Amino acid sequence: MGNQYVEMGLSAPVNVTWEVTYACNLSCIHCLSDSGKKRATELSTDECRRVIDDLSAMKVFQFNIGGGEPFMRPDFLDLMDYAHDKGMVTCISTNGTLIDRDIARRLDHRLVYIQVSLDGATPESNDPIRGKGSFQKVLHALECLRERNIEVSINTVLTRLSFPELDRMTSLAADYGAKLRVSRFRPSGRGKRSWSQLNVSADQMLAFSDWLSQHLGVSTGDSFFSVSTEERRSLGLNMCGACKLTCCISPEGGVYPCAFLQEADFRAGAVPGESFGDIWRHSPVFQSFRELEIKSCESCHRFDLCHGGCPAIAYHTQRKLGVADPGCLENCVRVKMPATVNA
């Protein structure tokens, strides 16, 4: 069963992030996967169905679908139908620019949640990050989804540019019957090159922590447990879920601990050629994550709230695991966060 423990982890993940393509019609400067062009090595439709079969048989509850831009795959909606027919819930992360009324109609009455990306409350703040004209296209997508009463959230990545607009973003989301979700900027993909330009300062992260404690209706997934306060303790994870609750599948079928660690050193296997279950249960990469300890954090009074924070940020900024997240609340108080990335 998917809820039994196997060596500090579940015998199947609760959810799997699956980036179904590298193709994207935008070139966001902080893109976690450096997406743009489709690659010839991406999984075929038949291979994708086999992956869905494998995860469905393991009782994986939810796919978090991303990219690239998922709707760039011609077979994407057919693959979603295939997953939904097996009772799987899908959360689709999209830039929103390709969603129209026909697509919204196709998604209606399905086990689907939509997460639309927006990185500012105006074209002037959003479009320099996501591309000219993207803001208005996203608003059109939000209107099409609202007409169908499809559950939707607006996802914004916390950066120096979006930080001052959080209140306006909250209001914008409410105008479309959506929730606001704030994700943490991590220096992977093109984010490595824009990290020093966009990453929030220590003072902004401290202010954001206070803002979060006052906006309990704003979701963060597992992005900000490193700065969560007692007020948000019951709202989400208090530790990294990689290899314990979740993992990531790349467009080419590579299996990794999370979407932000799609590096050769962290490749645990590949589907559908290998059994996903075997990878999940026996991969040395996954086992090392389940056994990962951040000794320097264990004496911290906040350890029960974050357990050392995000390993991906620690890895990309310090090129090693087992060290504290440089953006945790205590580090923000004591020191400045690293401005550069060890690419």
Side-chain angles (χ1 to χ4, degrees):
M1 292 293 290
N3 61 352
Q4 295 175 334
Y5 279 92
V6 173
E7 300 178 22
M8 295 182 64
L10 300 177
S11 60
V14 175
N15 62 66
V16 171
T17 295
W18 187 7
E19 299 190 342
V20 294
T21 185
Y22 289 112
C24 191
N25 58 326
L26 299 183
S27 297
C28 302
I29 62 176
H30 56 16
C31 178
L32 72 90
S33 57
D34 200 6
S35 294
K37 294 183 179 180
K38 177 185 176 181
R39 300 182 189 177
T41 50
E42 293 180 15
L43 298 183
S44 67
T45 301
D46 180 63
E47 288 172 324
C48 287
R49 288 198 184 104
R50 288 164 58 194
V51 171
I52 293 171
D53 289 341
D54 202 1
L55 272 65
S56 174
M58 288 182 67
K59 310 296 183 185
V60 173
F61 175 70
Q62 179 174 310
F63 279 133
N64 295 329
I65 306 294
E69 170 50 46
F71 289 100
M72 291 285 286
R73 275 194 73 122
D75 61 356
F76 176 62
L77 288 172
D78 292 333
L79 290 173
M80 291 303 93
D81 286 342
Y82 190 77
H84 295 153
D85 288 344
K86 291 180 173 292
M88 302 188 75
V89 176
T90 56
C91 177
I92 302 170
S93 295
T94 171
N95 65 39
T97 61
L98 301 178
I99 293 178
D100 55 20
R101 286 180 171 82
D102 287 340
I103 288 178
R105 175 182 52 78
R106 180 82 177 267
L107 294 171
D108 201 0
H109 303 302
R110 286 296 191 175
L111 300 172
V112 64
Y113 305 93
I114 305 292
Q115 188 172 283
V116 179
S117 296
L118 201 62
D119 282 309
T122 65
E124 290 72 25
S125 56
N126 174 82
D127 289 7
I129 293 177
R130 306 197 63 83
K132 186 176 181 180
S134 60
F135 183 84
Q136 292 300 331
K137 290 178 180 178
V138 169
L139 294 193
H140 176 67
L142 291 170
E143 182 61 36
C144 292
L145 294 168
R146 180 172 64 173
E147 290 173 357
R148 291 282 175 176
N149 292 316
I150 294 172
E151 187 167 341
V152 63
S153 62
I154 291 176
N155 184 73
T156 187
V157 177
L158 184 70
T159 65
R160 292 181 185 179
L161 300 181
S162 63
F163 171 76
E165 298 197 325
L166 290 173
D167 287 331
R168 295 175 69 186
M169 292 292 293
T170 304
S171 297
L172 188 152
D175 288 344
Y176 287 90
K179 295 180 180 179
L180 180 65
R181 184 182 191 275
V182 184
S183 292
R184 192 169 176 189
F185 178 35
R186 294 173 172 96
S188 66
R190 281 197 292 274
K192 293 179 181 180
R193 301 194 290 273
S194 57
W195 176 253
S196 59
Q197 171 192 353
L198 294 179
N199 188 38
V200 292
S201 67
D203 287 342
Q204 285 177 321
M205 188 67 91
L206 287 169
F208 175 70
S209 176
D210 183 62
W211 185 87
L212 268 184
S213 70
Q214 300 173 46
H215 294 79
L216 301 183
V218 173
S219 63
T220 62
D222 65 352
S223 294
F224 287 106
F225 51 85
S226 58
V227 297
S228 287
T229 56
E230 287 287 346
E231 290 86 350
R232 296 183 65 89
R233 178 187 282 270
S234 65
L235 299 182
L237 288 174
N238 65 350
M239 63 186 298
C240 172
C243 307
K244 304 177 185 74
L245 301 172
T246 186
C247 65
C248 174
I249 299 174
S250 77
E252 298 164 312
V255 182
Y256 301 89
C258 82
F260 302 97
L261 286 173
Q262 295 183 66
E263 311 253 335
D265 288 346
F266 301 110
R267 185 181 172 98
V271 292
E274 301 173 58
S275 161
F276 180 84
D278 286 345
I279 295 170
W280 176 260
R281 288 186 289 267
H282 305 302
S283 161
V285 171
F286 280 20
Q287 282 302 113
S288 68
F289 262 77
R290 289 167 187 152
E291 298 166 1
L292 184 65
E293 295 180 338
I294 305 176
K295 293 291 187 181
S296 61
C297 295
E298 290 181 358
S299 61
C300 176
H301 69 98
R302 281 183 46 81
F303 186 69
D304 287 343
L305 283 170
C306 82
H307 292 83
C310 175
I313 290 181
Y315 174 80
H316 286 299
T317 56
Q318 299 165 78
R319 216 60 187 177
K320 58 182 178 180
L321 299 173
V323 294
D325 182 335
C328 80
L329 205 56
E330 288 300 298
N331 276 337
C332 288
V333 171
R334 292 194 303 264
V335 297
K336 295 289 185 181
M337 288 181 285
T340 58
V341 174
N342 297 312

